[in-house]
Amino acid sequence: MSRARQPPLVTGISPNEGISWTKVTIRGENLGTGPTDLLGLTICGHNCLLTAEWMSASKIVCRVGQAKNDKGDIIVTTKSGGKGTSTVSFKLLKPEKIGILDQSAVWVDEMNYYDMRTDRNKGIPPLSLRPANPLGIEIDKGRYPQKDLESLFPGMSADFTSENFSAAWYLIENHSTTSFDQLKTAVVNLKKQANKKNEGSLAYVKGGLSTFFEAQDALSAIHQKLEADGTEKVEGSMTQKLENVLNRASNTADTLFQEVLGRKDKADSTRNALNVLQRFKFLFNLPLNIERNIQKGDYDVVINDYEKAKSLFGKTEVQVFKKYYAEVETRIEALRELLLDKLLETPSTLHDQKRYIRYLSDLHAPGDPAWQCIGAQHQWILQLMHNCKESYVKEQKGSNALLHSPMLDLDSDVRPSPIGHLSQTASLKRGSSFQSGRDDAWRYKAPQQVVFVEKLTKLVVSQLPNFWKLWVSYVNGSLFSETAEKSGQMERSKKNARQRQNDFKKMIQEVMHSLVKLIRGALLPFSLREGELRQYGGWEMKSELSGQWLTHVIQTVRLSSESLTALEIPNDMLQIIQDLILDLRVRCIIVTLQHTAEDIKRLAEKEDWVVDNEGLTSLPSQFEQCIIHSLQSLKTVLDCKPGEASVFQQQKTQEDVCQLSIGIMQGFIDCLEQLSTKPDGDIDTSHLSVDVSSPDLFGSIHEESSLSSEQRLLIALSNCRYLERHTFLNIAEHFEKHGFQGVDKITQVSMESLKELDQRLFEMYIEFKADPIVGSLEPGIYAGYFDWKDCLVPTGVRNYMKEALVNIIAVHAEVFTISKDLVPRVMSRVVEAVSEELSRLMQCVSSFSKNGALQAKLEICALRDTVAIYLTPESKSSFKQALEALPQLSSGTDRK
C-alpha cells in the first residue's frame, strides 16, 4: 500500500495583487500529480478551477475571478493530498472607473464606458442586453451530470443565443424541478416579450399616420384629376404641382430644423476642436513649455520633448501641426545657439563642457561642437599664458599692481585638481634649501621671474588636464548619449577624432612650446631668437638669477612635467619640457660655479691670520666648505629624474664646467698670493688673535700687533702645503661624487698652479731670510782687517760665524712657531745658501797661513756640524769644496 501524499502547500504567488481576471502564477509543494488530480483552486474565496492550468507539482497558472474578499488565501485541493494550506495571500484591487475624457494607460472599450453623471454604464452592446433569465421564473438547477446531457443532446447547446440551441436541454438543466403552473407563467412571459418587440416596430408607423393620410389624399386627388382631364397638359401641371408641394415640404423641413441642425453642427465642431486640443495638447503646449524649461535650465526635458514631437509630427501634412512644429523648431534652434555659446564660454568646468556637448549632439546641432570646444579651450589656455606674462612684466617694470582680472584669478575660477594641488605644495616643499614653505613674504623676496614661472606652471597644470580629458572623451565617444549612439553620431565623431589627431597633437605641442618659450624668455633669454624674444621676452634683466632660485625653478618645472606625464600625454609631446629642464640645469650649474668663484675671490677679506697648531689659518677650510656647499646646493640639479638625461652629456657643458672649476681653484690660489704679497699697510690685523691651545707663537706679533711679510709668507706656505696634501684631494673626491667630468684635469691644473705659487712664495721667503745671512759673511770674515795669511793661533770661531748661526737659529725659531713641517725645507735652503757662499769665499782666498787654514777649517766645521741635520747633498758638496780649498794640516794635533 502506497504512502499517502502530503496535502498541497502554496508558498508563493506572482503577482501578489491585482484586479479581477489578473493572470497569476501559483508556486508551492504537492500541487497534484496531473491535471485530473486537481479538484479545487480558490483565491480570496472565489473558485478559479475553470481557468486553472496545471503545469507541474510545484506550479499552477490561473486567472483571479470576481472574489468576495479583498484579501485572502490561495487554497489548492487535490485528489491525492486533499485540501491544502497557504503561507501567502493575494490582494484583490478594485478596478478604477474611467470616464470619456479621462486619460488612461490602457485602451477603454468605447462601446461600454462609465457615465459619471448618471453613475451607470452606457452604450452596452446588444448581446449584453440579453436577459439572464428569459423565462422570468426562478431557476432551479438540476443535478443532472453535464456529461450525461452532452451525450443526450449531441451537437446541441443550452445557450439560447447559440444557433444550436436546444430548449429541452435548457429546461432539463435549469427547470427540471419547476412545477407545471410556473411553466405556464413562463409561457405568458415569453408572449409579453414578443409583443413588446412588435409594439416597438408599430410605434414608428403610429407616429407617422397623419403623414401617410396626407400622402394618400394627395395621390387620390392626382389620380382623379388625371382621369377627368386625360390630357398631357394636366399631367404636366399636376406633375409640376406635385414637385412644388414636395419642394415646399422640403424647404419647410429645412426651415424647421435649420436652427437645431446648426446648433448641432456647431456643437460637433466645438467638440471635435476640444477633442483635437485634448488629444494633441502636448504639441500645442510644447513651444511654451520649451521656453519655461530653458529658463529653468531643464535641458534634458526639452530634448526629450523635442525628440517625441519630432517622431510624432516631424513629417505631418496637417497645416496646424506644421505651424506649431515650426515654432518648436525655431525655439530649438535658439536653444542650440544658447548651448553653443555656453559651451564656448570660458572659464568652464569639464563637467559642464561634456554636458553641453551631449545636449548639442542630442539636438543634432550642425558641425562638430566637441571640436569647437577643444579649439576654444586651446586658445583660452594660450591667452591665459600670455596674459600672465604681460601682467608680471608690467609689474616688474614698476607699473600699477597686478590687474586682478577674471582670466588670471585661477584660484576662484578653476576647479581644484589633485595635480594642481601637487604643484602648489610639493614644489616648494622639495624646492631650494633656503625656502621651506610658502608664505606672503615669499612673493616679496622672490624675483618676479620666479613668481611668474610658479604662476605659469600652476596655470598650465590646472588647465591642461581638463583639456586632455576632453579630447580623450571625444576620441572614445563617451561625450555622447544613447540617442547619439543609436543615430550613428558617435561613429561619425570617432571618425572625425581619428582624422583630427594630428591637429590636436599640434595644439598640445603649441601649448608646450608656449610654456617652454615663456619660461626661456624669463630665465634663458639668450636661448631664443630675436623674433621669439619680442613675443616671449620683455623682462628687465638687471642681474641673472642666482643658482638657488634657478634650483627652485627647476623643481617647479620638474613637478609640472611629472603632473603632465601622469595624464598619459605621449612623451614625444613632453620632450620639449625635458630639453628646457636640461638647459635650466646646465645654466644653474654654470651660474652656481660662477657665483662660487666670486665668493672664493672674496675669501681674502675673511682671512684673520689666526694660526692653529699645524700652522694653518681658517682659509683652506673656508675654501673647502664653500665648494662643498656649492656642490650640495647642486645635488638636486645634478641628480637625474626619470626620463631626464645627464647634465654632462654634452661635450661643451663638460668643457665649460671643467674650466669654471679650474677657475674656482685658480681664484683661490690667486687669493693666497694676494694675501701673502699684500703690503703691510693693507692688512687689517685689528681682529688678530692666537689659538688658545697653542703656545705663545711669536711674542713680537702681540707687541707689534702686526705680521711681517716673512710671517705672512710662512703662513701662506703652510696653507699651500695643506691644500696640496689634503684640501685639493678632498675637493676632487667631491667633484667625482657629484658626477663632474674631467676631475683629473681640474686636479692636475690646480696642483700645478699651487706648486708654482708655493715655489714663488718659498723663493721669496728664502730671499728674505737667506740673503742677509749670506751677505753678512764676507764683511764679517774680513772685519778688523783680518788676513788669512797673517793671523793668530785660533782660539775659537769668530763673531761673524756666531752671528750667522744666531741668524740661522732665528729663522728656525720663526719657521718653527708657524709650522714645524716647514722647518726642514726652509733650513735646508738657508744652509745651502750659506754653505755655497762660504765655499765661494774660501775658494777666492789666494793663500792661507798655517793659523789661517786652521781658523778657516775650525769655522767651516763648526758651521757644518751645527746645521748637520739640515744638510743636503748640495750643502755637503759646498762644505766639501770649501774644505778642499784649504791647505792640508800636517800634524795630528792641528787636525784634532
Side-chain angles (χ1 to χ4, degrees):
M1 183 177 178
S2 61
R3 200 172 80 184
R5 288 183 175 274
Q6 295 291 329
L9 174 63
V10 176
T11 59
I13 183 169
S14 175
N16 59 4
E17 62 179 15
I19 62 174
S20 299
W21 306 113
T22 300
K23 189 175 184 180
V24 295
T25 301
I26 300 169
R27 297 187 182 276
E29 302 172 0
N30 307 314
L31 301 182
T33 59
T36 58
D37 190 43
L38 187 64
L39 296 181
L41 173 59
T42 60
I43 299 178
C44 299
H46 185 273
N47 187 4
C48 303
L49 186 61
L50 290 177
T51 60
E53 182 180 356
W54 187 91
M55 308 298 290
S56 67
S58 60
K59 179 178 177 182
I60 297 174
V61 178
C62 72
R63 289 187 180 273
V64 181
Q66 296 281 357
K68 301 174 183 178
N69 302 322
D70 290 343
K71 189 173 185 180
D73 294 336
I74 302 95
I75 306 299
V76 177
T77 307
T78 61
K79 187 186 298 183
S80 59
K83 188 176 182 179
T85 56
S86 172
T87 61
V88 295
S89 60
F90 183 84
K91 183 178 181 181
L92 188 69
L93 304 177
K94 292 182 179 180
E96 296 181 0
K97 297 177 180 180
I98 301 173
I100 303 173
L101 300 178
D102 292 341
Q103 294 183 351
S104 172
V106 298
W107 286 102
V108 178
D109 187 1
E110 295 182 356
M111 294 298 293
N112 185 11
Y113 65 88
Y114 193 86
D115 193 343
M116 299 293 290
R117 297 169 297 176
T118 60
D119 197 30
R120 62 185 181 182
N121 288 330
K122 289 199 172 183
I124 299 175
L127 188 62
S128 65
L129 289 174
R130 67 179 183 266
N133 185 5
L135 297 182
I137 60 176
E138 184 179 355
I139 295 176
D140 186 8
K141 291 279 186 179
R143 296 184 179 178
Y144 290 96
Q146 192 74 15
K147 291 182 180 180
D148 294 345
L149 289 172
E150 288 177 358
S151 62
L152 189 60
F153 301 98
M156 306 302 286
S157 173
D159 185 2
F160 54 83
T161 62
S162 174
E163 293 179 359
N164 300 325
F165 173 66
S166 172
W169 186 352
Y170 180 80
L171 290 174
I172 292 171
E173 183 179 357
N174 296 289
H175 299 285
S176 58
T177 59
T178 305
S179 63
F180 185 73
D181 292 337
Q182 286 181 322
L183 290 176
K184 284 182 178 181
T185 306
V187 172
V188 174
N189 291 338
L190 282 174
K191 289 180 178 179
K192 285 182 179 179
Q193 291 179 15
N195 291 333
K196 283 183 180 178
K197 289 182 179 178
N198 293 333
E199 289 173 0
S201 301
L202 292 173
Y204 294 99
V205 179
K206 288 180 180 179
L209 280 177
S210 59
T211 306
F212 283 112
F213 290 148
E214 289 177 2
Q216 182 67 29
D217 291 343
L219 289 173
S220 298
I222 293 168
H223 182 68
Q224 292 173 1
K225 194 72 174 174
L226 285 172
E227 288 180 350
D229 295 342
T231 62
E232 292 181 2
K233 180 180 180 181
V234 172
E235 184 179 359
S237 64
M238 292 309 295
T239 303
Q240 184 66 37
K241 183 178 180 181
L242 178 60
E243 288 180 357
N244 293 336
V245 170
L246 291 175
N247 287 335
R248 285 198 301 272
S250 175
N251 293 335
T252 303
D254 288 344
T255 304
L256 288 173
F257 293 100
Q258 186 173 9
E259 184 179 354
V260 176
L261 292 174
R263 287 201 301 271
K264 181 179 180 301
D265 291 341
K266 187 175 180 180
D268 288 343
S269 64
T270 304
R271 191 180 298 109
N272 291 336
L274 290 174
N275 287 337
V276 170
L277 286 175
Q278 181 67 21
R279 185 174 178 183
F280 301 104
K281 64 180 180 181
F282 164 73
L283 177 62
F284 299 139
N285 293 337
L286 189 55
L288 182 59
N289 288 338
I290 288 177
E291 290 285 350
R292 291 173 178 171
N293 288 325
I294 288 176
Q295 290 176 1
K296 290 190 291 185
D298 293 339
Y299 303 121
D300 290 308
V301 177
V302 175
I303 292 170
N304 290 336
D305 289 347
Y306 172 64
E307 289 293 334
K308 183 177 178 182
K310 186 176 182 180
S311 63
L312 293 175
F313 306 102
K315 298 180 180 179
T316 183
E317 295 298 331
V318 181
Q319 291 301 320
V320 66
F321 292 166
K322 279 187 175 181
K323 180 179 179 181
Y324 274 87
Y325 185 72
E327 286 290 329
V328 171
E329 285 287 0
T330 302
R331 282 162 173 75
I332 291 297
E333 184 59 36
L335 176 60
R336 290 193 189 105
E337 295 177 1
L338 173 66
L339 291 175
L340 186 60
D341 291 342
K342 286 183 175 291
L343 175 63
L344 302 181
E345 184 180 299
T346 51
S348 62
T349 63
L350 180 63
H351 173 74
D352 288 341
Q353 291 167 0
K354 289 184 174 181
R355 192 160 58 97
Y356 293 138
I357 291 171
R358 191 173 293 114
Y359 290 153
L360 286 167
S361 70
D362 290 344
L363 290 173
H364 307 286
D368 194 345
W371 182 250
Q372 288 179 271
C373 180
I374 290 174
Q377 285 298 306
H378 171 239
Q379 294 300 326
W380 159 252
I381 294 173
L382 292 178
Q383 188 63 40
L384 273 181
M385 295 166 70
H386 283 282
N387 287 352
C388 182
K389 190 264 292 186
E390 293 297 333
S391 62
Y392 277 99
V393 168
K394 287 180 182 177
E395 185 174 356
Q396 188 200 38
K397 291 181 178 178
S399 64
N400 296 329
L402 181 62
L403 296 175
H404 203 63
S405 65
M407 295 182 73
L408 289 174
D409 192 7
L410 291 176
D411 296 332
S412 61
D413 288 334
V414 178
R415 65 188 183 94
S417 66
I419 300 176
H421 182 66
L422 170 72
S423 69
Q424 294 172 26
T425 57
S427 63
L428 287 171
K429 288 181 181 177
R430 291 194 252 160
S432 52
S433 58
F434 62 91
Q435 182 63 35
S436 59
R438 166 171 287 181
D439 52 18
D440 293 336
W442 179 85
R443 290 190 177 278
Y444 295 106
K445 63 183 180 182
Q448 283 297 314
Q449 291 98 316
V450 176
V451 182
F452 161 68
V453 173
E454 280 277 320
K455 190 76 170 180
L456 183 68
T457 52
K458 175 185 172 184
L459 185 154
V460 174
V461 168
S462 62
Q463 290 288 343
L464 204 60
N466 289 347
F467 184 59
W468 178 259
K469 290 173 185 174
L470 181 64
W471 165 254
V472 172
S473 301
Y474 178 60
V475 171
N476 60 29
S478 62
L479 288 174
F480 306 102
S481 63
E482 295 180 1
T483 305
E485 186 174 358
K486 291 176 183 177
S487 66
Q489 192 166 353
M490 184 182 293
E491 290 302 323
R492 290 195 298 273
S493 175
K494 287 183 178 180
K495 183 179 178 182
N496 292 340
R498 287 192 293 270
Q499 294 174 349
R500 288 168 172 159
Q501 280 183 342
N502 288 333
D503 294 336
F504 182 77
K505 185 176 181 181
K506 290 178 182 177
M507 287 183 179
I508 292 290
Q509 288 175 340
E510 188 175 358
V511 172
M512 294 303 155
H513 278 282
S514 295
L515 172 65
V516 168
K517 288 180 180 178
L518 284 170
I519 295 176
R520 286 184 182 276
L523 304 176
L524 305 171
F526 50 83
S527 65
L528 296 177
R529 294 190 296 271
E530 185 177 352
E532 293 176 337
L533 199 58
R534 286 196 298 270
Q535 183 179 359
Y536 298 102
W539 299 86
E540 292 182 357
M541 305 297 287
K542 296 179 181 177
S543 61
E544 192 167 8
L545 290 181
S546 66
Q548 291 174 318
W549 285 118
L550 283 173
T551 303
H552 175 79
V553 168
I554 291 169
Q555 288 296 95
T556 302
V557 179
R558 274 176 168 171
L559 285 169
S560 303
S561 178
E562 291 175 9
S563 303
L564 297 176
T565 304
L567 294 175
E568 299 181 356
I569 295 177
N571 290 333
D572 58 339
M573 296 187 186
L574 301 178
Q575 184 58 42
I576 187 173
I577 297 183
Q578 295 299 331
D579 296 340
L580 169 66
I581 293 174
L582 180 62
D583 289 352
L584 286 173
R585 290 165 65 201
V586 170
R587 191 62 199 164
C588 181
I589 293 172
I590 299 296
V591 169
T592 302
L593 293 179
Q594 289 174 346
H595 288 182
T596 304
E598 294 173 4
D599 293 340
I600 294 297
K601 291 177 182 178
R602 289 194 291 270
L603 281 180
E605 303 169 3
K606 299 180 180 180
E607 177 60 280
D608 54 7
W609 300 105
V610 176
V611 182
D612 60 8
N613 288 331
E614 296 181 2
L616 303 173
T617 63
S618 62
L619 207 59
S621 176
Q622 289 180 2
F623 170 60
E624 184 176 352
Q625 289 302 317
C626 185
I627 290 183
I628 291 174
H629 179 74
S630 175
L631 294 177
Q632 286 176 344
S633 70
L634 290 174
K635 186 177 186 307
T636 56
V637 177
L638 292 168
D639 292 343
C640 294
K641 298 289 182 181
E644 292 183 358
S646 171
V647 78
F648 296 113
Q649 67 176 359
Q650 297 177 354
Q651 185 67 28
K652 184 178 184 303
T653 304
Q654 295 179 18
E655 294 174 358
D656 292 345
V657 171
C658 183
Q659 290 300 322
L660 284 170
S661 303
I662 293 173
I664 290 173
M665 310 292 274
Q666 187 64 49
F668 184 66
I669 294 171
D670 295 343
C671 174
L672 286 176
E673 185 172 12
Q674 175 191 356
L675 284 171
S676 58
T677 58
K678 186 188 295 184
D680 292 346
D682 294 345
I683 301 176
D684 180 13
T685 56
S686 61
H687 55 281
L688 186 65
S689 61
V690 184
D691 192 346
V692 177
S693 62
S694 64
D696 187 6
L697 301 178
F698 32 91
S700 62
I701 294 180
H702 296 287
E703 294 174 5
E704 299 174 1
S705 187
S706 64
L707 291 174
S708 64
S709 300
E710 294 87 345
Q711 289 168 334
R712 286 203 307 274
L713 286 171
L714 279 175
I715 293 173
L717 285 170
S718 178
N719 285 340
C720 286
R721 187 172 183 277
Y722 185 81
L723 288 169
E724 181 182 350
R725 296 189 178 186
H726 298 93
T727 304
F728 276 18
L729 298 178
N730 292 343
I731 290 173
E733 288 181 6
H734 281 287
F735 279 145
E736 288 182 353
K737 178 181 174 182
H738 287 84
F740 276 55
Q741 304 295 314
V743 177
D744 293 339
K745 180 180 179 182
I746 297 171
T747 307
Q748 179 186 352
V749 175
S750 304
M751 286 292 191
E752 289 176 358
S753 297
L754 182 65
K755 287 177 181 177
E756 290 176 5
L757 172 64
D758 177 78
Q759 192 61 34
R760 287 198 303 274
L761 297 181
F762 181 73
E763 295 295 341
M764 199 179 297
Y765 182 76
I766 294 300
E767 184 180 344
F768 279 138
K769 291 299 181 181
D771 287 0
I773 299 175
V774 170
S776 64
L777 286 178
E778 188 172 2
I781 289 175
Y782 297 106
Y785 302 101
F786 177 80
D787 188 0
W788 295 108
K789 297 177 183 178
D790 181 16
C791 62
L792 300 176
V793 178
T795 57
V797 295
R798 288 182 293 159
N799 289 335
Y800 82 92
M801 183 57 66
K802 294 178 182 178
E803 184 181 353
L805 287 173
V806 170
N807 289 335
I808 291 174
I809 292 170
V811 172
H812 179 279
E814 184 178 71
V815 176
F816 187 84
T817 55
I818 299 296
S819 174
K820 298 175 185 177
D821 295 335
L822 284 175
V823 170
R825 183 184 179 193
V826 173
M827 294 304 297
S828 299
R829 281 296 302 276
V830 171
V831 170
E832 283 180 8
V834 172
S835 63
E836 183 180 353
E837 177 65 15
L838 194 59
S839 173
R840 185 187 68 78
L841 290 175
M842 292 299 109
Q843 291 174 4
C844 291
V845 177
S846 58
S847 62
F848 291 89
S849 65
K850 181 182 178 182
N851 289 338
L854 192 61
Q855 180 71 41
K857 191 166 187 177
L858 176 65
E859 291 173 349
I860 292 172
C861 289
L863 177 61
R864 183 189 65 187
D865 294 343
T866 304
V867 296
I869 59 173
Y870 300 116
L871 291 177
T872 62
E874 289 79 6
S875 56
K876 286 180 181 177
S877 175
S878 298
F879 278 120
K880 184 179 178 182
Q881 291 174 1
L883 291 173
E884 288 175 351
L886 303 177
Q888 297 299 318
L889 299 178
S890 57
S891 66
T893 305
D894 293 338
R895 285 199 297 275
K896 184 179 179 180

